[in-house]
Amino acid sequence: MRYNKIRKMDISNGEGIRVSLFVQGCEFHCKNCFNPETWNFEGGKEFTTETMKTLIDLCSSDTIKGLSILGGEPMHPNNRETVVDIMRAFKYHYPEKTIWMWTGYKIEDLLNEDDEDVKSMLIYLDYLVDGRFQEDKKDLRLKWAGSTNQRWIDIQESMKQGILVTKDMLNK
């Protein structure tokens, strides 16, 4: 897998101060995407064992509340295996910290794929913002998304209850 960048202290991609990983590669190419430099699967840098160590070390501070994984597209089949490895390592070191992820896929479509990597991701994932950005549904009042078709899903609570549990993203 390739990645575009790592933000060491990010306050715009999830609750609290977080480390954010922007993976490289996305086929959706949403109109007016905020991050088109991540579309090319050949761009960015190779995610190596050393990158993993750096990422895990950056999360060690008590001020860091968790890891956010964005893109590009972290749920693209080209990225899934490495993203699962990242999530597994993060939760091994920091079980009390949260993992947030943004994807253009809808959770229902991912679950219908019967993909072991997707199932593994859900074990470690705390919050998912799903759905492609849609320019005609853009809403600047949303905390964690760009358009109203996107949902903020509490994955662990959804698994406990057996239903999709979403949270309100409107800044009030």
Side-chain angles (χ1 to χ4, degrees), residues 14 32 48-49 61 64 80 91 115 121 130 142 153 159 165:
N32 291 324
T48 64
T49 304
S61 168
I64 299 298
R80 289 178 186 174
K91 282 296 189 173
D115 182 296
M121 284 184 199
D130 79 339
L142 299 174
I153 303 167
M159 291 187 349
V165 177

Side-chain angles (χ1 to χ4, degrees), residues 3 6 19 40 44-45 47 49 58 61 66 69 73 82 89 91 96 102 110 115 135-137 161:
Y3 73 103
I6 296 172
V19 172
N40 183 349
K45 301 165 263 209
F47 193 90
T49 304
L58 286 171
S61 168
I69 306 172
E73 179 51 67
T82 303
K91 282 296 189 173
E96 73 289 352
W102 282 255
L110 290 166
D115 182 296
E135 179 66 29
D136 63 328
K137 295 180 179 171
Q161 293 189 29

Side-chain angles (χ1 to χ4, degrees), residues 22-97:
F22 292 78
V23 304
Q24 192 69 37
C26 182
E27 293 179 335
F28 293 134
H29 300 183
C30 300
K31 180 181 178 187
N32 291 324
C33 169
F34 85 104
N35 220 3
E37 66 273 13
T38 64
W39 290 355
N40 183 349
F41 284 92
E42 302 303 316
K45 301 165 263 209
E46 187 68 29
F47 193 90
T48 64
T49 304
E50 188 58 37
T51 311
M52 177 75 89
K53 182 182 179 329
T54 298
L55 185 67
I56 296 300
D57 288 349
L58 286 171
C59 296
S60 67
S61 168
D62 289 340
T63 60
I64 299 298
K65 299 303 178 204
L67 176 65
S68 295
I69 306 172
L70 312 91
E73 179 51 67
M75 288 281 195
H76 187 278
N78 290 359
N79 295 331
R80 289 178 186 174
E81 184 177 354
T82 303
V83 170
V84 169
D85 290 344
I86 293 165
M87 295 170 79
R88 184 179 296 116
F90 175 83
K91 282 296 189 173
Y92 173 80
H93 290 282
Y94 312 110
E96 73 289 352
K97 296 185 181 192

